[in-house]
Amino acid sequence: QRGRIMGSRVYVGNLSWHTSWQSLKDHFRQAGEVVHADVMQHDGRSKGCGIVAFATAQEAANAIATLGETELDGRTIFVREDREAAAPRGLPAPGTHTNAPHMGGFNGLPPPRAVRAVGAAAAAPPGGSETRVYVGNLSWHTSWQSLKDHFRQAGEVVHADVMQHD
């Protein structure tokens, strides 16, 4: 895990709008002892993502290894380490907003309803080498320009592209 100890929370994306915290918790019990599960909401409606907390970091790692790309409520979910607590600076976790004036929603676009497009943005950090970033679960309405504009908050963006799947 890049030389550091992983936490005991995982981020779950591409949830059905109908997935409840209880069904999320029940699904993730396959990986270990779930101490908390939450589906993120805005104005009473699911944002399509959630957080699951496990009793141990090993159980969280097991969830990432075994439950990513599984089906829950008719949707193929993805699971990764919850980076929000570990990375207080930078861009917020998908589906979240901050009170910082330079951060916030993604150009006012509504939350994505399905994984229909994938995108990539490349940024040149100080020192000149190129870093590529994969961005998934984009809205149908996301353009390469809005993706590039959004990632300018993190630094200079050399190139952004939104790839459409037929």
Side-chain angles (χ1 to χ4, degrees), residues 14 17 33 42 45 48 61 69 76 82 93 97 99 102 137 154-155:
N14 202 35
W17 300 123
E33 181 187 347
H42 178 71
R45 181 180 167 143
E69 302 299 318
T76 301
D82 176 30
H97 300 280
N99 292 327
H102 66 285
N137 204 26

Coordinates of all heavy atoms in Angstrom, one line a residue, residues 14 17 33 42 45 48 61 69 76 82 93 97 99 102 137 154-155:
N14 N -20.4 3.6 -7.4 CA -21.4 3.0 -8.4 C -22.5 2.3 -7.7 O -23.0 1.3 -8.2 CB -20.7 2.2 -9.4 CG -21.5 2.1 -10.7 OD1 -22.2 3.0 -11.1 ND2 -21.5 0.9 -11.3
W17 N -29.2 3.8 -6.7 CA -29.9 4.8 -5.9 C -30.7 4.2 -4.8 O -31.1 4.8 -3.9 CB -30.8 5.6 -6.8 CG -30.1 6.4 -8.0 CD1 -30.3 6.3 -9.3 CD2 -29.0 7.3 -7.9 NE1 -29.5 7.1 -10.0 CE2 -28.6 7.7 -9.2 CE3 -28.2 7.8 -6.8 CZ2 -27.6 8.6 -9.4 CZ3 -27.2 8.7 -7.1 CH2 -26.9 9.1 -8.4
E33 N -15.9 -8.1 9.9 CA -16.8 -7.4 10.8 C -17.0 -6.0 10.4 O -16.1 -5.2 10.6 CB -16.3 -7.5 12.2 CG -17.2 -6.9 13.3 CD -16.6 -6.8 14.7 OE1 -15.6 -7.5 14.9 OE2 -17.1 -6.1 15.5
H42 N -27.5 13.5 -0.5 CA -27.7 14.9 -0.6 C -29.2 15.2 -0.8 O -29.8 14.6 -1.7 CB -26.9 15.4 -1.8 CG -27.0 16.9 -2.0 ND1 -26.5 17.8 -1.1 CD2 -27.7 17.6 -2.9 CE1 -26.8 19.0 -1.5 NE2 -27.5 18.9 -2.6
R45 N -31.4 12.1 -1.1 CA -31.2 11.2 -2.2 C -29.8 10.6 -2.2 O -28.8 11.4 -2.0 CB -31.5 11.9 -3.5 CG -31.3 11.1 -4.7 CD -31.6 11.9 -6.0 NE -31.2 11.1 -7.1 CZ -31.8 11.0 -8.3 NH1 -32.9 11.7 -8.4 NH2 -31.3 10.3 -9.2
G48 N -24.9 7.7 -4.7 CA -24.4 6.6 -5.5 C -23.0 6.1 -4.9 O -22.3 5.4 -5.6
A61 N -8.8 -4.5 3.7 CA -8.0 -4.9 2.6 C -8.7 -6.1 1.9 O -8.7 -6.2 0.7 CB -6.6 -5.3 3.0
E69 N -15.8 -5.0 -8.1 CA -16.4 -5.6 -9.3 C -17.4 -6.7 -9.0 O -17.7 -7.6 -9.8 CB -15.3 -6.2 -10.2 CG -14.3 -5.1 -10.6 CD -14.8 -4.0 -11.4 OE1 -15.7 -4.3 -12.3 OE2 -14.4 -2.9 -11.2
T76 N -22.7 -3.0 -10.7 CA -21.3 -3.5 -10.4 C -20.6 -2.4 -9.6 O -20.4 -1.3 -10.2 CB -20.6 -3.8 -11.7 OG1 -21.3 -4.8 -12.4 CG2 -19.2 -4.3 -11.5
D82 N -10.7 4.2 1.6 CA -11.2 5.5 1.9 C -10.0 6.5 2.1 O -9.4 6.3 3.1 CB -12.2 5.5 3.1 CG -12.7 6.9 3.4 OD1 -12.8 7.7 2.5 OD2 -13.0 7.2 4.6
A93 N -13.1 13.5 -1.9 CA -13.5 12.2 -2.4 C -14.7 12.4 -3.4 O -15.4 13.4 -3.2 CB -13.9 11.3 -1.2
H97 N -18.4 17.4 -1.0 CA -18.2 18.9 -1.2 C -17.5 19.4 0.0 O -17.6 18.8 1.1 CB -19.5 19.6 -1.4 CG -20.3 19.1 -2.5 ND1 -20.0 19.5 -3.8 CD2 -21.3 18.2 -2.6 CE1 -20.9 18.9 -4.7 NE2 -21.7 18.1 -3.9
N99 N -16.2 23.2 2.1 CA -16.6 24.6 2.3 C -15.5 25.5 1.8 O -15.7 26.8 1.8 CB -16.9 24.9 3.8 CG -18.1 24.3 4.3 OD1 -19.1 24.1 3.5 ND2 -18.1 23.9 5.5
H102 N -12.4 27.4 -3.2 CA -11.9 26.9 -4.5 C -12.3 25.5 -4.8 O -12.0 24.9 -5.8 CB -10.3 27.0 -4.5 CG -9.7 26.1 -3.5 ND1 -9.7 26.3 -2.2 CD2 -9.1 24.9 -3.7 CE1 -9.1 25.3 -1.6 NE2 -8.7 24.4 -2.5
N137 N -16.8 7.0 -13.5 CA -18.1 7.3 -13.1 C -18.5 8.7 -13.4 O -19.2 9.4 -12.7 CB -18.3 7.0 -11.6 CG -19.8 6.7 -11.3 OD1 -20.5 6.3 -12.2 ND2 -20.1 7.0 -10.1
A154 N -6.1 21.4 -8.8 CA -5.0 20.7 -8.2 C -3.6 21.0 -8.8 O -2.6 20.7 -8.3 CB -5.2 19.2 -8.4
G155 N -3.6 21.7 -10.0 CA -2.4 22.1 -10.6 C -2.5 22.2 -12.1 O -3.7 22.2 -12.6

